[in-house]
Amino acid sequence: MSDRRYILAGNWKMNKTPYEAQQFANMLADSLVGFTFFDIYIAPTFVALDRVREAISSSNIKLAAQNMYFEDSGAFTGEISPKMLKELNVSAVILGHSERRKIFGETDELINKKVKKALNDGFVPIFCVGETLEERQKGLTFAVVEKQVREGFYGLSKEEAQKVVIAYEPVWAIGTGVVATPQQAQEVHAFIRELLVKMYDDQTAQTIRILYGGSVTPENFFGLFIKKDIDGALVGGASLKESFVQLAKIMDKIITK
Ligand code: PEP
């Protein structure tokens, strides 16, 4: 097991009304007391952030946002600024999620601007990369992931790079129930770490946390999480239910044993 501090992050996507989010966050705040050996983040929708912030205010759970724009204010209808998120005690931001890339057309260049802004404003960027099924079948996985990492990290210093959390989320595994095997995930995580050695140096590569995401459940989590280069998980569907607590219990058991 490495020295990296592990992460369990829940991406609630466009689920739960503010009231439902608050109720669920209250339950999590009670159930996750004492899990202090790793970082726990939950990312509700923007409109639920304030209520969830209140619900988890005296817990060990940290607040994350699912996206943000790279300007502080101005004529950007429908966008949310880092300054607004700061006021709500948001500490991490998911950036470049495959749904943002695919459905909303976010480019590597735009995502890079957001990563830079997040770092500049003191957020932990949870920066997502991953190949589609077609790309994997064509043998393009490494090439696709390399391009996304290089462009997402473009212009970042070593010190900045170390603060980024990468989430490897194969698009074919997101929300499909088809999880990557621990071997498939580890192979890409190791590739990313090697790439970071080339882009920066060994120490930087060893510092950066790389999460796996894509149909993680309590049933498959153990096998993934014990892999050398997998430093935790970004969880969608299983973060909306009691199973998120079970994932925390599994992570705690592995870390503290
Ligand atoms: C995600 O959207 O980040 C995700 C990993 O979703 P799921 O766990 O539902 O596959």
Side-chain angles (χ1 to χ4, degrees):
M1 189 141 273
S2 75
D3 291 340
R4 295 181 289 275
R5 189 170 162 87
Y6 291 85
I7 296 176
L8 178 63
N11 173 14
W12 294 1
K13 310 194 188 192
M14 199 175 72
N15 294 295
K16 298 190 189 294
T17 65
Y19 176 73
E20 289 165 352
Q22 182 181 27
Q23 298 295 104
F24 186 60
N26 278 330
M27 185 282 281
L28 290 180
D30 289 341
S31 308
L32 298 177
V33 172
F35 293 126
T36 53
F37 295 107
F38 54 96
D39 292 331
I40 303 173
Y41 290 100
I42 51 177
T45 61
F46 290 123
V47 292
L49 280 171
D50 201 23
R51 284 187 178 208
V52 171
R53 173 187 62 82
E54 249 181 77
I56 62 174
S57 60
S58 49
S59 79
N60 49 328
I61 306 171
K62 297 177 189 171
L63 197 55
Q66 297 176 18
N67 184 26
M68 69 170 207
Y69 199 54
F70 61 85
E71 297 281 358
D72 281 330
S73 60
F76 304 104
T77 303
E79 291 296 317
I80 302 285
S81 88
K83 206 170 154 192
M84 296 164 188
L85 298 178
K86 259 276 127 74
E87 202 172 301
L88 295 176
N89 282 352
V90 168
S91 51
V93 190
I94 300 171
L95 295 173
H97 190 280
S98 68
E99 288 150 16
R100 301 283 336 157
R101 290 177 187 265
K102 185 165 165 252
I103 306 170
F104 302 100
E106 292 201 4
T107 61
D108 290 318
E109 193 188 347
L110 173 68
I111 296 161
N112 174 248
K113 282 188 181 159
K114 293 183 177 189
V115 169
K116 283 181 174 156
K117 179 65 176 167
L119 288 167
N120 192 54
D121 288 17
F123 295 99
V124 174
I126 302 178
F127 165 64
C128 306
V129 298
E131 81 287 1
T132 63
L133 181 60
E134 199 188 344
E135 288 161 345
R136 174 162 282 262
Q137 285 168 343
K138 286 186 178 157
L140 295 174
T141 299
F142 293 152
V144 168
V145 169
E146 173 160 356
K147 180 173 183 290
Q148 290 170 336
V149 172
R150 282 194 185 274
E151 297 194 9
F153 275 67
Y154 182 74
L156 299 191
S157 68
K158 210 160 74 169
E159 292 68 31
E160 288 172 323
Q162 292 181 9
K163 294 181 188 145
V164 178
V165 172
I166 297 176
Y168 169 56
E169 300 206 307
V171 180
W172 47 271
I174 296 181
T176 58
V178 182
V179 64
T181 64
Q183 292 73 17
Q184 282 173 324
Q186 167 59 29
E187 188 185 29
V188 180
H189 282 231
F191 171 80
I192 294 172
R193 215 176 290 288
E194 278 300 308
L195 175 62
L196 293 167
V197 175
K198 282 190 243 160
M199 290 166 59
Y200 295 97
D201 55 26
D202 192 52
Q203 192 241 332
T204 303
Q206 292 306 327
T207 304
I208 294 176
R209 289 165 301 169
I210 310 176
L211 314 182
Y212 169 79
S215 295
V216 167
T217 63
E219 288 70 43
N220 58 37
F221 190 42
F222 182 85
L224 287 160
F225 185 57
I226 55 170
K227 287 291 181 190
K228 179 169 158 279
D229 290 296
I230 302 183
D231 306 318
L234 178 56
V235 186
S239 73
L240 296 168
K241 302 169 283 189
E242 232 283 315
S243 41
F244 194 65
V245 177
Q246 290 174 42
L247 291 172
K249 286 183 182 162
I250 297 168
M251 190 175 255
D252 188 66
K253 218 177 214 165
I254 303 172
I255 293 176
T256 57
K257 86 166 180 320

